Structure formats: C-alpha cells, structure tokens
Amino acid sequence: MDLGITGRAALVTGADSGIGLATARHLLAEGARVVLTDLDAGRLADAAAGLGGEHTTIAADLTVPDDVGRLLEEARAAYGDPEILVHCAGITGPQGPFHELDDDAWRTTLDVNLFSAVRVVRGVVGAMREAGWGRIVLVASEDGVQPYVDELPYCASKAGVLSLTKGLSKAYGPDGVLVNAVSPAFVETPMTDAMMEARAQERGTDVDEAVESFLDEERPLMALKRRGRPDEVAAVAAFLCSERASFVNGSSYRVDSGSVATI
Ligand code: NAD
C-alpha cells in the first residue's frame, strides 16, 4: 500500500531507539523527509547512521521549552514546517507503591510523558492548520486505560496523552489536522529491556525467564505470549500518518496482542 506521504516533512521524537527509531525508518521508506530528535546528539547520530532516505537529527530535551523552540526552528530550516508529528519520547518514571512516590516522581513523569507532547504539538499545529493538512500521532500505552498499581504516574501520564489526543482531534480535525494515538503493550525496546533486567536481577533469573514470568504473571491477556517488536508499532503509526488514514481521527490504536481486556 502506498501511504501517499512522499516528500512530506515529518518530525519523530524519542527517535534514537525503540518505537521512535522504527517509526522514522517506516516514514523514510515511504519517502517522507524525517527529522529525528532525542536527548543525546551522539546516540542520535549512531541510530541514524543505518537509515536510508532524507533525514537529519537534532538533539533536544523536550522538558526544556527553549530546547523545543530551537528544535522546531532547526526542523523548519531543514525541511519546512513539520506536516507529520510522531511523538514517541517517554519514560517509565519512578515506580513503586503510590504511598511511597513523592511529588517529584509525579512531576518528572508527567513532564516528559504529557507536557512534552503539549509543547511539541503546540509548536507544530499552527502551520498544519494553515496548510489544511497534518497528521499527529501520540504514543500512549495500554496503561492509559488499564492502570497497573506499581506505576501510577506513568499510567496517569498516558491517560492524559489519550485525553489530549481526543481533545486535539476535536479541536483541529475540522482544519484537516488528524490526531490519533497508538497504545502499545510490552514492546522489546530499551524501556522494557531495563524493566526485564531489573526483574531478572530481583529474581535471580536470566532476562528470557524474566520476560516469560512477566507475561504469565503481569500480562496474561497478551495472547501472542511474546514481547512486541518496535516495527509492529511503527507500522500502525506510519499508517496513521498517511493519506490512507484520511477518515481516522481521535482514535487510539491498540498494538498490544490483546493486553487490554475490553473490546
Ligand atoms: P525508548 O526508551 O527506546 O524510547 C523513548 C525515548 O524517549 C528514548 O530514546 C529517550 O531518550 C527519549 N526521551 C526521554 N526523555 C526525553 C526528553 N526529556 N526529551 C527528549 N527525548 C526524551 O522506549 P520505547 O519503548 O520505544 O518508548 C517509546 C514510547 O512508547 C514511549 O512514550 C513509551 O512510553 C511508549 N510505550 C512503550 C511500550 C513498550 O513496551 N516499550 C509500551 C507502551 C508504550
């Protein structure tokens, strides 16, 4: 299927690894011109080294408003106003029982996972509206609708991302800017690698056993009984960025092998 986005200017955050990098790869394969952004210039350059197509990298910390401003200026200078935004930057944040997590734990998680989406969307949506065409995909999580008690700041931040997605879709859909979310579960990226390494250490097992026990005990509804691959999420994100998704707005696409219990 031709996604119809050849030459479109795209901005992908959280792009030096995992779902962001895989999404950049999909968009490049479709002929989009892609700005990849993440925290560290060196890691970004290493990640982008293997990519084909027209792309550039710009390091920025999305929790710093001035950095976001500079990122958008440099992105515009590279390929013009972003017409596509895929916002993947995120952190697991501090985990533990609710009564042990202080304000900083909440603030840090919400700042990266929710506020950075607010900042970046605010910076790109004006030009998309003027052009009458835009695609925004925010990466949420299964946790946004199905909270796990040991990571409530993360879950609440992702519920916020889903609410933001729906609200933005209503505000800007009439202008031709379509806003959707992708909600993955347990994908093989540095984020879950770190979780599984910690679990393996706690239990005195290897990482494969940690993954298996996590699936059995914590994610029993994941019917495929494996971690997802970043490209399996990226394929859905790329579709939502496309001309083919021209009547899709305000949706959350689950890419979770069944982890969320409801239909
Ligand atoms: P990842 O760790 O590979 O990617 C997250 C990226 O965000 C990292 O490269 C990190 O450097 C970047 N980032 C963090 N803080 C930032 C900041 N302040 N400014 C700029 N960039 C920052 O993990 P991933 O799994 O690919 O995560 C991508 C998105 O998918 C995240 O929003 C995550 O919450 C979401 N998600 C992942 C899973 C999963 O199982 N891996 C499941 C559900 C949702």
Side-chain angles (χ1 to χ4, degrees):
M1 178 168 50
D2 175 8
L3 295 188
I5 53 172
T6 303
R8 292 278 188 197
L11 173 63
V12 181
T13 74
D16 79 11
S17 60
I19 293 166
L21 180 59
T23 302
R25 192 175 287 116
H26 272 253
L27 295 177
L28 285 164
E30 292 295 328
R33 298 175 300 156
V34 180
V35 174
L36 295 90
T37 185
D38 209 302
L39 284 171
D40 183 82
R43 288 189 48 176
L44 260 176
D46 288 348
L51 297 174
E54 204 175 337
H55 65 271
T56 190
T57 61
I58 302 170
D61 182 341
L62 303 181
T63 63
V64 179
D66 285 352
D67 246 22
V68 176
R70 178 186 50 78
L71 161 69
L72 294 175
E73 258 174 47
E74 292 180 18
R76 280 184 202 109
Y79 301 134
D81 288 309
E83 300 167 290
I84 291 169
L85 167 68
V86 185
H87 180 64
C88 302
I91 55 170
T92 308
Q95 294 181 302
F98 172 80
H99 53 271
E100 288 176 8
L101 297 177
D102 62 12
D103 281 6
D104 277 347
W106 280 86
R107 223 177 260 122
T108 308
T109 311
L110 287 165
D111 199 14
V112 178
N113 291 357
L114 180 58
F115 253 109
S116 71
V118 170
R119 288 184 193 103
V120 180
V121 171
R122 200 164 45 205
V124 299
V125 77
M128 291 179 181
R129 293 177 72 195
E130 272 171 33
W133 196 96
R135 297 285 187 271
I136 295 174
V137 176
L138 304 180
V139 179
S141 169
E142 57 156 345
D143 298 37
V145 293
Q146 181 163 271
Y148 296 98
V149 295
D150 57 340
E151 47 185 30
L152 290 183
Y154 181 82
C155 299
S157 72
K158 294 299 186 177
V161 169
L162 289 173
S163 177
L164 181 66
T165 302
K166 196 68 175 175
L168 292 171
S169 75
K170 291 181 178 183
Y172 302 124
D175 300 329
V177 182
L178 308 186
V179 187
N180 293 286
V182 174
S183 294
F186 202 35
V187 179
E188 190 168 355
T189 69
M191 184 177 270
T192 60
D193 286 348
M195 285 165 58
M196 289 306 106
E197 277 153 24
R199 186 179 177 90
Q201 205 162 7
E202 266 167 33
R203 297 190 164 208
T205 65
D206 64 24
V207 169
D208 287 343
E209 286 168 314
V211 168
E212 208 171 305
S213 70
F214 185 82
L215 283 165
D216 284 347
E217 295 165 24
E218 311 290 341
R219 297 293 185 276
L221 298 181
M222 288 186 70
L224 304 189
K225 303 290 175 205
R226 63 171 175 83
R227 278 201 280 182
R229 294 188 307 272
D231 65 284
E232 292 176 309
V233 183
V236 177
F239 167 73
L240 291 171
C241 294
S242 79
E243 204 56 64
R244 304 286 84 81
S246 52
F247 203 55
V248 184
N249 190 35
S251 294
S252 165
Y253 274 58
R254 292 176 185 159
V255 188
D256 69 2
S257 106
S259 188
V260 173
T262 54
I263 294 172

